[in-house]
Amino acid sequence: MAKYLLLKHYRGAPAPANDVPMDQWTPEEISAHVRYMNDFAARLQETGEFVDSQALAPEGTFVRYDGEGRPPVTDGPFAETKDLIAGWMVIDVDSHQRALELAGELSAAPGAGGKPIHEWLELRPFLGDHCTVTD
């Protein structure tokens, strides 16, 4: 088994087919989206492929070490960044092909109008899991 990180981006990936920002969805559309995500995770829990997931707020702060005895340096938030991550899911699967299948299915979560978003998800293997795109 190999672990993969599925990253959902606020911005930075190619535009999804159903490209209506979530802040313009109705409460029912948001509920349907969250229900899809929860049902997807529950199904993967049953197969043993689910590890963890979280949604993230759009705000954030960059922090770095600034030397011994000095407080960390902070800057941000950087709401304009192209790499703003909306959330993530960690899966543990038998092959890269299975990770691709699950990412494709997760991409079909409903959005505005109840139609699938077809959003782009970033799929990244964990370093050291010795997985390759050919396994």
Side-chain angles (χ1 to χ4, degrees):
M1 301 276 288
K3 288 187 178 79
Y4 286 85
L5 179 63
L6 300 170
L7 289 172
K8 296 172 67 78
H9 294 270
Y10 282 115
R11 289 185 295 278
N18 187 354
D19 195 19
V20 178
M22 188 180 256
D23 63 359
Q24 296 175 23
W25 297 0
T26 67
E28 295 79 16
E29 291 166 341
I30 292 171
S31 292
H33 181 80
V34 170
R35 187 171 39 258
Y36 183 98
M37 302 292 291
N38 289 338
D39 291 348
F40 182 81
R43 190 168 48 79
L44 294 185
Q45 281 179 319
E46 291 175 12
T47 65
E49 295 172 308
F50 178 82
V51 176
D52 197 8
S53 68
Q54 291 294 321
L56 301 173
E59 302 83 28
T61 303
F62 282 97
V63 179
R64 73 155 206 241
Y65 174 74
D66 198 36
E68 189 66 37
R70 300 177 73 179
V73 175
T74 63
D75 201 359
F78 296 104
E80 71 279 5
T81 182
K82 291 178 67 177
D83 298 321
L84 200 59
I85 299 170
W88 51 268
M89 179 178 284
V90 177
I91 57 174
D92 195 359
V93 294
D94 288 328
S95 68
H96 180 76
Q97 183 60 38
R98 177 66 175 153
L100 290 172
E101 291 168 9
L102 293 175
E105 187 176 336
L106 188 58
S107 167
K115 296 179 182 172
I117 298 172
H118 298 285
E119 70 180 323
W120 290 90
L121 299 172
E122 185 177 353
L123 177 65
R124 298 190 56 188
F126 278 32
L127 186 62
D129 275 352
H130 307 292
C131 57
T132 65
V133 295
T134 59
D135 62 352

